[in-house]
Amino acid sequence: MKITIVDNEQIFDETAAWRIVNQMVSKKDSVICLSTGRTTGNMHRRVAEICKASSFDTSRLTITGVDEVVNVPREYSGACYTMLWNEIVKDIDIKEENFIMLPTISDDFDKACKEFLEELGRRGGIDLLILGLGENGHLGFNQPGTSFDSSAWVTKMNEELEERIRRETQTPQEVMLGGVTLGLKDIMQARKIILVAKGANKAESVKKMLRGPLTEAHPASILRLHPDCEYLLDKAAAAEL
Ligand code: GLP
C-alpha cells in the first residue's frame, strides 16, 4: 500500500499536479479521469499552469470526469463539466472531442452510461484516475451501501450538496437532483488510481478507508483491493492513521 503524506496544502497540490503531468508526458494518448470538489481545484489549476509553461504535446489526451450532477444545465457553475472546463480543460491544448463527460441531462441515463463506458473502452480505458473522498467514504457519487459490483449509474448525492445545488439552480423539489457516476466496479478497472484527501474533516474517513473493515458501508475501502492505488494525504487527513 503506497501512502504519501505531505506537510501542507501547497505541497499536496504540487505533488498531485506533477503526478498528473507525469502521466500526460509518459503516455501521450492517456485517458485521465478527474474528480471535482474542494480537494482538486487547485491541483487542476496547477496542471494547467505547468502545461502552459511547457511545450509537451497534449493534443491526444482524453480528459474525463468520474461523475456529474444530473438535471442541471452543464453550463451551471457547479456542474462537473463546467468545473473541469474552467479549472483545467480550457487552458490545455486538447481537442474538444477529447473532453468527455457523463451528461447532465438525458432522457435515458442507462443508455448514456453504457455509451460512456463504451467510449472509455474504445479509448483504451482509464490510465489514471484521481479520486476525491467523501467524509462518509463515498467515491464519485457512490454513497455508503453501494454495491462493490456497481457500474455507471444514476444515484443520490449527499443531502448537503443536493440542497446547495437546488438553491443555486432554483431546481424545484419535484425535479430529481442526483448524480450520475462511474460505479465502483468501473473505478476499480482504472490502471492507476490516486486517492486524494486533505483536511481534518477527512481524517475519520481516511482511517476507515485504510484501517477499517472492507465494506460497502464505506465505499472507499474497496480501493485496498486495487493493485496500483496511491493515497495522497495531507497531515490533517492522515492524523488518525
Ligand atoms: C463530491 C463529488 C466527488 C468528490 C467528493 C469530494 O460529492 N461527487 O467526485 O470527489 O465529493 O469532494 P470535496 O473534495 O469537495 O471534499
Side-chain angles (χ1 to χ4, degrees):
M1 188 182 290
K2 183 172 178 190
I3 304 176
T4 305
I5 301 172
V6 296
D7 276 346
N8 58 47
E9 232 175 296
Q10 203 200 340
I11 306 175
F12 177 89
D13 294 333
E14 196 67 19
T15 306
W18 280 102
R19 296 276 199 282
I20 297 171
V21 170
N22 181 42
Q23 180 67 43
M24 290 174 160
V25 174
S26 57
K27 184 171 179 251
K28 296 273 188 299
D29 59 350
S30 287
V31 176
I32 299 179
C33 184
L34 301 172
S35 293
T36 50
R38 292 155 297 185
T39 312
T40 49
N42 286 340
M43 73 178 67
H44 295 161
R45 284 182 271 271
R46 185 69 188 113
V47 172
E49 267 175 28
I50 296 168
C51 288
K52 272 186 176 173
S54 320
S55 57
F56 59 87
D57 177 20
T58 51
S59 65
R60 288 163 59 212
L61 287 177
T62 295
I63 300 284
T64 184
V66 71
D67 56 10
E68 183 54 286
V69 180
V70 305
N71 291 336
V72 300
R74 80 177 186 177
E75 292 74 24
Y76 158 58
S77 60
C80 301
Y81 173 89
T82 291
M83 290 177 78
L84 289 179
W85 173 260
N86 286 329
E87 290 168 3
I88 182 167
V89 176
K90 73 173 170 36
D91 291 318
I92 61 173
D93 177 29
I94 68 164
K95 297 198 186 81
E96 206 182 319
E97 67 264 28
N98 287 347
F99 176 35
I100 58 166
M101 294 291 287
L102 285 155
T104 58
I105 291 168
S106 171
D107 48 19
D108 188 347
F109 272 107
D110 286 346
K111 186 160 161 260
C113 285
K114 210 170 144 258
E115 287 171 356
F116 182 72
L117 290 176
E118 282 167 3
E119 187 55 37
L120 287 179
R122 267 193 294 277
R123 290 167 187 253
I126 298 171
D127 291 295
L128 174 65
L129 169 56
I130 305 287
L131 273 182
L133 173 69
E135 285 176 33
N136 62 1
H138 73 238
L139 294 179
F141 279 121
N142 298 289
Q143 301 296 347
T146 301
S147 164
F148 280 168
D149 203 32
S150 54
S151 189
W153 66 307
V154 176
T155 174
K156 279 167 51 169
M157 58 177 85
N158 23 322
E159 272 170 32
E160 190 196 329
L161 183 62
E162 178 176 339
E163 219 171 87
R164 177 167 68 76
I165 294 178
R166 204 173 277 288
R167 199 175 54 241
E168 287 177 1
T169 53
Q170 282 127 41
T171 302
Q173 287 299 332
E174 55 273 21
V175 176
M176 184 270 218
L177 264 188
V180 58
T181 181
L182 286 184
L184 295 169
K185 190 173 72 184
D186 311 321
I187 284 173
M188 291 298 279
Q189 281 166 9
R191 271 178 210 99
K192 181 178 177 61
I193 297 177
I194 304 179
L195 182 289
V196 290
K198 67 180 176 187
N201 60 322
K202 299 288 170 75
E204 179 71 28
S205 186
V206 166
K207 185 169 89 176
K208 285 188 182 156
M209 168 176 70
L210 295 174
R211 306 277 185 255
L214 186 69
T215 167
E216 289 171 353
H218 200 76
S221 62
I222 194 178
L223 296 176
R224 302 207 306 257
L225 299 177
H226 194 280
D228 190 0
C229 179
E230 177 184 1
Y231 303 87
L232 175 62
L233 312 170
D234 75 349
K235 270 190 173 160
E240 295 196 28
L241 291 180

